[in-house]
Coordinates of all heavy atoms in Angstrom, one line a residue:
V88 N -21.8 3.3 -5.0 CA -21.7 4.7 -4.4 C -22.9 5.5 -4.8 O -23.5 6.2 -4.0 CB -20.4 5.3 -4.8 CG1 -20.4 6.8 -4.4 CG2 -19.2 4.5 -4.3
K89 N -23.3 5.5 -6.1 CA -24.4 6.3 -6.5 C -25.7 5.9 -5.8 O -26.5 6.8 -5.4 CB -24.5 6.1 -8.1 CG -25.6 7.0 -8.7 CD -25.6 6.8 -10.2 CE -26.7 7.7 -10.9 NZ -26.7 7.4 -12.4
S90 N -25.9 4.6 -5.7 CA -27.2 4.2 -5.0 C -27.2 4.6 -3.5 O -28.2 5.0 -3.0 CB -27.3 2.7 -5.1 OG -27.4 2.2 -6.4
L91 N -26.1 4.5 -2.8 CA -26.0 4.9 -1.4 C -26.2 6.4 -1.3 O -26.8 6.9 -0.4 CB -24.7 4.4 -0.8 CG -24.6 2.9 -0.6 CD1 -23.2 2.5 -0.2 CD2 -25.5 2.4 0.5
H92 N -25.6 7.2 -2.2 CA -25.7 8.6 -2.2 C -27.2 9.0 -2.3 O -27.7 9.9 -1.7 CB -24.9 9.2 -3.3 CG -23.4 9.4 -2.9 ND1 -22.5 10.0 -3.7 CD2 -22.7 9.0 -1.8 CE1 -21.3 9.9 -3.1 NE2 -21.5 9.4 -1.9
E93 N -27.9 8.3 -3.2 CA -29.3 8.6 -3.4 C -30.1 8.4 -2.2 O -31.1 9.1 -1.9 CB -29.9 7.7 -4.5 CG -29.4 8.1 -5.9 CD -29.8 7.1 -7.0 OE1 -30.4 6.0 -6.6 OE2 -29.6 7.3 -8.2
A94 N -29.6 7.5 -1.3 CA -30.3 7.3 0.0 C -29.8 8.2 1.1 O -30.2 8.1 2.2 CB -30.1 5.8 0.4
G95 N -28.9 9.1 0.8 CA -28.3 10.0 1.7 C -27.2 9.4 2.6 O -26.8 9.9 3.7
I96 N -26.6 8.3 2.1 CA -25.6 7.5 2.9 C -24.2 7.8 2.3 O -24.0 7.6 1.0 CB -25.9 6.0 2.9 CG1 -27.2 5.8 3.7 CG2 -24.8 5.3 3.6 CD1 -27.7 4.4 3.6
E97 N -23.3 8.2 3.1 CA -21.9 8.4 2.6 C -21.1 7.2 2.6 O -21.5 6.2 3.2 CB -21.2 9.5 3.5 CG -21.8 10.8 3.5 CD -21.0 11.8 4.3 OE1 -20.8 11.6 5.5 OE2 -20.5 12.8 3.8
V98 N -20.1 7.1 1.8 CA -19.2 6.0 1.6 C -17.8 6.4 2.1 O -17.2 7.3 1.5 CB -19.1 5.4 0.2 CG1 -18.2 4.2 0.1 CG2 -20.5 5.0 -0.2
I99 N -17.3 5.8 3.2 CA -16.0 6.0 3.7 C -15.1 4.7 3.5 O -15.6 3.6 3.8 CB -16.0 6.4 5.2 CG1 -16.8 7.7 5.3 CG2 -14.6 6.6 5.8 CD1 -17.1 8.1 6.8
L100 N -13.9 4.8 3.0 CA -13.1 3.7 2.8 C -12.0 3.6 3.9 O -11.3 4.5 4.2 CB -12.4 3.8 1.4 CG -13.3 3.9 0.2 CD1 -12.4 3.8 -1.1 CD2 -14.4 2.8 0.2
D101 N -11.9 2.3 4.4 CA -10.8 2.0 5.3 C -9.6 1.7 4.4 O -9.6 0.8 3.6 CB -11.2 0.8 6.1 CG -10.2 0.5 7.2 OD1 -9.1 1.0 7.2 OD2 -10.6 -0.2 8.1
V102 N -8.5 2.6 4.5 CA -7.4 2.5 3.5 C -6.1 2.2 4.2 O -5.9 2.6 5.4 CB -7.3 3.8 2.7 CG1 -8.4 3.9 1.7 CG2 -7.2 5.0 3.6
V103 N -5.3 1.4 3.5 CA -4.0 0.9 4.1 C -2.8 1.4 3.3 O -2.3 0.7 2.5 CB -4.1 -0.6 4.1 CG1 -2.9 -1.2 5.0 CG2 -5.4 -1.2 4.6
Y104 N -2.4 2.6 3.6 CA -1.3 3.2 2.9 C 0.0 3.1 3.7 O 1.0 3.7 3.4 CB -1.5 4.7 2.6 CG -2.6 5.0 1.7 CD1 -3.9 5.5 2.0 CD2 -2.5 4.7 0.3 CE1 -4.9 5.8 1.1 CE2 -3.5 4.9 -0.6 CZ -4.7 5.5 -0.2 OH -5.7 5.8 -1.1
N105 N 0.0 2.3 4.7 CA 1.2 2.2 5.6 C 2.2 1.1 5.1 O 3.3 1.1 5.4 CB 0.8 2.1 7.0 CG -0.2 1.0 7.3 OD1 0.1 -0.2 7.1 ND2 -1.4 1.3 7.6
H106 N 1.6 0.1 4.4 CA 2.4 -1.1 4.0 C 1.8 -1.7 2.7 O 0.7 -1.3 2.3 CB 2.6 -2.1 5.1 CG 1.4 -2.9 5.3 ND1 0.3 -2.4 6.1 CD2 1.0 -4.1 4.9 CE1 -0.7 -3.3 6.2 NE2 -0.3 -4.4 5.4
T107 N 2.5 -2.7 2.2 CA 1.9 -3.4 1.0 C 1.9 -4.9 1.2 O 2.5 -5.4 2.2 CB 2.6 -3.1 -0.3 OG1 3.8 -3.8 -0.3 CG2 2.9 -1.6 -0.5
A108 N 1.4 -5.7 0.3 CA 1.3 -7.1 0.4 C 2.6 -7.8 0.1 O 2.7 -9.0 0.2 CB 0.2 -7.7 -0.5
E109 N 3.7 -7.0 -0.2 CA 4.9 -7.6 -0.6 C 5.8 -8.1 0.6 O 6.8 -8.8 0.4 CB 5.8 -6.7 -1.5 CG 5.1 -6.5 -2.9 CD 6.0 -5.7 -3.8 OE1 6.2 -4.5 -3.5 OE2 6.4 -6.2 -4.8
G110 N 5.4 -7.6 1.8 CA 6.1 -8.1 3.0 C 7.5 -7.7 3.1 O 8.0 -6.8 2.5
N111 N 8.3 -8.5 3.9 CA 9.7 -8.2 4.1 C 10.6 -8.9 3.1 O 10.1 -9.2 2.0 CB 10.1 -8.6 5.6 CG 9.9 -10.1 5.8 OD1 9.7 -10.9 4.9 ND2 9.8 -10.5 7.1
H112 N 11.9 -9.2 3.4 CA 12.8 -9.7 2.5 C 12.4 -11.2 2.1 O 13.0 -11.7 1.1 CB 14.2 -9.7 3.1 CG 14.4 -10.6 4.3 ND1 13.8 -10.2 5.5 CD2 15.0 -11.8 4.5 CE1 14.1 -11.1 6.4 NE2 14.8 -12.1 5.9
L113 N 11.5 -11.8 2.8 CA 11.1 -13.1 2.4 C 9.8 -13.1 1.7 O 9.3 -14.2 1.3 CB 10.9 -14.0 3.7 CG 12.1 -14.2 4.6 CD1 11.8 -15.0 5.8 CD2 13.2 -14.9 3.8
G114 N 9.2 -11.9 1.4 CA 8.0 -11.8 0.7 C 8.1 -11.8 -0.8 O 9.2 -11.9 -1.3
P115 N 7.0 -11.9 -1.6 CA 7.0 -12.0 -3.0 C 7.4 -10.7 -3.7 O 7.4 -9.6 -3.1 CB 5.6 -12.4 -3.3 CG 4.8 -11.7 -2.2 CD 5.6 -11.8 -1.0
T116 N 7.7 -10.8 -5.0 CA 8.0 -9.6 -5.8 C 6.8 -9.4 -6.7 O 6.6 -10.2 -7.7 CB 9.3 -9.7 -6.6 OG1 10.4 -9.9 -5.7 CG2 9.5 -8.5 -7.5
L117 N 5.9 -8.5 -6.4 CA 4.6 -8.3 -7.1 C 4.5 -7.0 -7.8 O 3.8 -6.9 -8.8 CB 3.4 -8.4 -6.1 CG 3.4 -9.7 -5.2 CD1 2.3 -9.6 -4.2 CD2 3.4 -11.0 -6.0
S118 N 5.1 -5.9 -7.3 CA 5.0 -4.6 -7.9 C 6.1 -3.7 -7.5 O 7.1 -3.6 -8.1 CB 3.6 -4.1 -7.5 OG 3.4 -2.8 -8.1
F119 N 5.9 -3.0 -6.4 CA 6.8 -2.0 -5.9 C 8.2 -2.5 -5.7 O 9.2 -1.8 -6.0 CB 6.3 -1.4 -4.5 CG 4.9 -1.0 -4.6 CD1 3.9 -1.8 -4.2 CD2 4.5 0.3 -5.1 CE1 2.5 -1.4 -4.3 CE2 3.2 0.7 -5.1 CZ 2.2 -0.2 -4.7
K120 N 8.4 -3.7 -5.1 CA 9.6 -4.2 -4.8 C 10.5 -4.4 -6.1 O 11.7 -4.1 -6.1 CB 9.5 -5.6 -4.1 CG 10.7 -6.2 -3.5 CD 10.4 -7.5 -2.8 CE 9.8 -7.3 -1.5 NZ 9.6 -8.6 -0.7
G121 N 9.9 -4.8 -7.2 CA 10.6 -5.0 -8.4 C 10.7 -3.8 -9.3 O 11.6 -3.7 -10.1
L122 N 9.9 -2.7 -9.0 CA 10.0 -1.5 -9.7 C 11.1 -0.6 -9.2 O 12.0 -0.2 -9.9 CB 8.6 -0.7 -9.6 CG 7.5 -1.2 -10.5 CD1 6.2 -0.6 -10.1 CD2 7.8 -0.7 -12.0
D123 N 11.1 -0.4 -7.9 CA 12.1 0.5 -7.3 C 12.1 0.3 -5.7 O 11.5 1.1 -5.0 CB 12.0 2.0 -7.7 CG 13.2 2.7 -7.5 OD1 14.0 2.4 -6.5 OD2 13.5 3.7 -8.3
N124 N 12.6 -0.8 -5.3 CA 12.6 -1.2 -3.9 C 13.0 -0.1 -2.9 O 12.4 0.2 -1.9 CB 13.4 -2.4 -3.7 CG 13.3 -3.0 -2.3 OD1 12.2 -3.4 -1.9 ND2 14.4 -3.2 -1.6
Q125 N 14.1 0.6 -3.3 CA 14.7 1.6 -2.4 C 13.8 2.8 -2.2 O 13.9 3.5 -1.2 CB 16.0 2.1 -3.0 CG 17.2 1.4 -2.6 CD 18.5 2.1 -3.0 OE1 18.5 2.9 -4.0 NE2 19.6 1.8 -2.3
R126 N 13.0 3.2 -3.2 CA 12.3 4.4 -3.2 C 10.8 4.2 -2.7 O 10.1 5.2 -2.6 CB 12.4 5.2 -4.5 CG 13.8 5.7 -4.6 CD 14.1 6.2 -6.0 NE 15.5 6.6 -6.0 CZ 16.6 5.8 -6.2 NH1 16.4 4.5 -6.3 NH2 17.8 6.3 -6.2
Y127 N 10.4 3.0 -2.6 CA 9.0 2.7 -2.1 C 9.0 2.3 -0.6 O 8.0 2.5 0.1 CB 8.4 1.7 -2.9 CG 7.8 2.2 -4.2 CD1 8.3 1.9 -5.5 CD2 6.7 3.1 -4.2 CE1 7.7 2.4 -6.6 CE2 6.1 3.7 -5.3 CZ 6.6 3.3 -6.5 OH 6.0 3.8 -7.7
Y128 N 10.1 1.7 -0.2 CA 10.0 1.1 1.2 C 11.1 1.7 2.1 O 12.2 2.1 1.7 CB 10.2 -0.5 1.1 CG 9.1 -1.2 0.4 CD1 9.3 -1.9 -0.8 CD2 7.9 -1.2 1.0 CE1 8.3 -2.5 -1.4 CE2 6.8 -1.9 0.3 CZ 7.0 -2.5 -0.9 OH 6.0 -3.2 -1.5
R129 N 10.8 1.6 3.4 CA 11.8 2.0 4.4 C 12.7 0.8 4.7 O 12.3 -0.3 5.2 CB 11.1 2.4 5.8 CG 10.4 3.7 5.7 CD 9.9 4.1 7.1 NE 11.0 4.3 8.0 CZ 10.9 4.5 9.3 NH1 9.7 4.2 9.9 NH2 11.9 4.7 10.1
L130 N 14.0 0.9 4.3 CA 14.9 -0.2 4.5 C 15.8 0.1 5.7 O 15.9 1.3 6.1 CB 15.8 -0.3 3.3 CG 15.1 -0.5 1.9 CD1 16.1 -0.6 0.8 CD2 14.1 -1.7 2.0
V131 N 16.3 -0.9 6.3 CA 17.2 -0.7 7.5 C 18.5 0.0 7.0 O 19.1 -0.4 6.0 CB 17.6 -2.1 8.1 CG1 18.6 -1.9 9.2 CG2 16.3 -2.7 8.6
D132 N 18.8 1.1 7.7 CA 19.9 2.0 7.2 C 21.2 1.2 7.0 O 21.9 1.4 6.0 CB 20.2 3.1 8.2 CG 19.0 4.1 8.2 OD1 18.3 4.1 7.2 OD2 18.8 4.8 9.2
D133 N 21.6 0.4 8.0 CA 23.0 -0.2 7.9 C 22.9 -1.6 7.2 O 24.0 -2.2 7.0 CB 23.6 -0.3 9.3 CG 22.8 -1.0 10.2 OD1 21.6 -1.4 9.9 OD2 23.2 -1.2 11.4
D134 N 21.7 -2.0 6.8 CA 21.6 -3.3 6.1 C 20.4 -3.3 5.2 O 19.3 -3.8 5.7 CB 21.6 -4.5 7.1 CG 21.9 -5.8 6.3 OD1 21.8 -5.8 5.1 OD2 22.1 -6.8 7.0

């Protein structure tokens, strides 16, 4: 970042805050799912 700034070039990040790598009910337990599944993910209301 420092080198690009010295050249007058900005750094913009493509960010993915809409989902995570843990996938659906068949996905792995890597972080959020095991910490507090209910409060990190949108779950189906009636199931």
Side-chain angles (χ1 to χ4, degrees):
V88 172
K89 186 177 178 182
S90 296
L91 290 168
H92 280 182
E93 288 172 354
I96 298 173
E97 295 182 303
V98 177
I99 298 171
L100 301 187
D101 191 339
V102 291
V103 190
Y104 292 111
N105 50 70
H106 72 280
T107 77
E109 291 185 298
N111 59 19
H112 63 287
L113 299 177
T116 299
L117 308 176
S118 181
F119 309 93
K120 190 179 285 187
L122 280 165
D123 200 326
N124 188 58
Q125 271 191 335
R126 287 164 185 86
Y127 277 115
Y128 294 116
R129 288 187 67 193
L130 306 179
V131 174
D132 290 336
D133 56 358
D134 193 348

